[in-house]
Amino acid sequence: MKNILFVLKVPPPVHGSTMMNKIVAESNEIGRNHKKTYHLRKTKQNLVYFAISPKGIAFYKDFISILIVKCFVSRIVYHFHVKDLNRQSKKVSLKSVLYKIAFKNQFAIVLSESLMDEYESLGFKKIFIVPNVMEDY
């Protein structure tokens, strides 16, 4: 059985991203095939699912977590819930350098095909499309 470390934010506060993370965290489908863990321990993690905040000051906090995770696990799947990331990465800035360090040869999940162009230039090994599927609340 493969071990997956989940790094995600769940409600509260209640908004689209945290609600989708809650669905992932409570998924029986994932639990059937993989052991879900929510912290690094002596168990070897095969993969990290990271619901990242790639914009604003929250990215710098997440980047520190990414550096720590990369010390233990080589494969990270980033789940994005935003657009306009490509525009930020094209600017010559500290953030564009950190994007390259964080995303190179990793995996991404985006919400629609229209976002593929936004993320292809960031150095991901593979990008998956998983549309939002939320119940009405």
Side-chain angles (χ1 to χ4, degrees):
M1 181 176 285
K2 293 186 178 198
N3 294 316
I4 301 175
L5 173 67
F6 286 83
V7 181
L8 42 81
K9 299 161 199 77
V10 294
V14 175
H15 54 78
S17 179
T18 60
M19 292 304 292
M20 287 303 299
N21 291 340
K22 182 179 177 188
I23 291 169
V24 169
E26 295 174 351
S27 169
N28 289 330
E29 188 65 34
I30 294 171
R32 211 172 306 158
N33 299 315
H34 304 284
K35 180 179 179 187
K36 293 189 282 188
T37 58
Y38 298 94
H39 48 84
L40 286 171
R41 38 171 132 137
K42 293 179 183 178
T43 306
K44 173 89 170 107
Q45 308 298 329
N46 303 96
L47 178 74
V48 174
Y49 172 92
F50 203 119
I52 188 169
S53 299
K55 290 185 170 183
I57 194 105
F59 172 72
Y60 297 105
K61 171 193 59 85
D62 282 355
F63 183 76
I64 293 168
S65 299
I66 290 165
L67 291 178
I68 293 167
V69 164
K70 282 189 165 202
C71 292
F72 298 94
V73 183
S74 61
R75 293 191 317 167
I76 302 173
V77 176
Y78 296 100
H79 195 162
F80 292 94
H81 297 271
V82 298
K83 61 181 183 174
D84 295 331
L85 199 60
N86 192 19
R87 186 176 52 172
Q88 285 189 1
S89 71
K90 287 184 178 178
K91 296 177 186 174
V92 178
S93 66
L94 173 62
K95 191 175 277 188
S96 66
V97 172
L98 298 181
Y99 281 166
K100 288 178 184 171
I101 293 169
F103 303 148
K104 185 176 180 181
N105 292 323
Q106 299 301 331
F107 303 89
I109 296 173
V110 297
L111 302 178
S112 74
E113 180 130 8
S114 65
L115 295 173
M116 291 292 281
D117 291 340
E118 296 234 2
Y119 292 91
E120 285 179 338
S121 65
L122 295 174
F124 289 104
K125 186 183 285 188
K126 186 162 183 172
I127 301 172
F128 303 93
I129 300 167
V130 179
N132 273 340
V133 185
M134 284 185 51
E135 299 175 22
D136 291 332
Y137 285 93

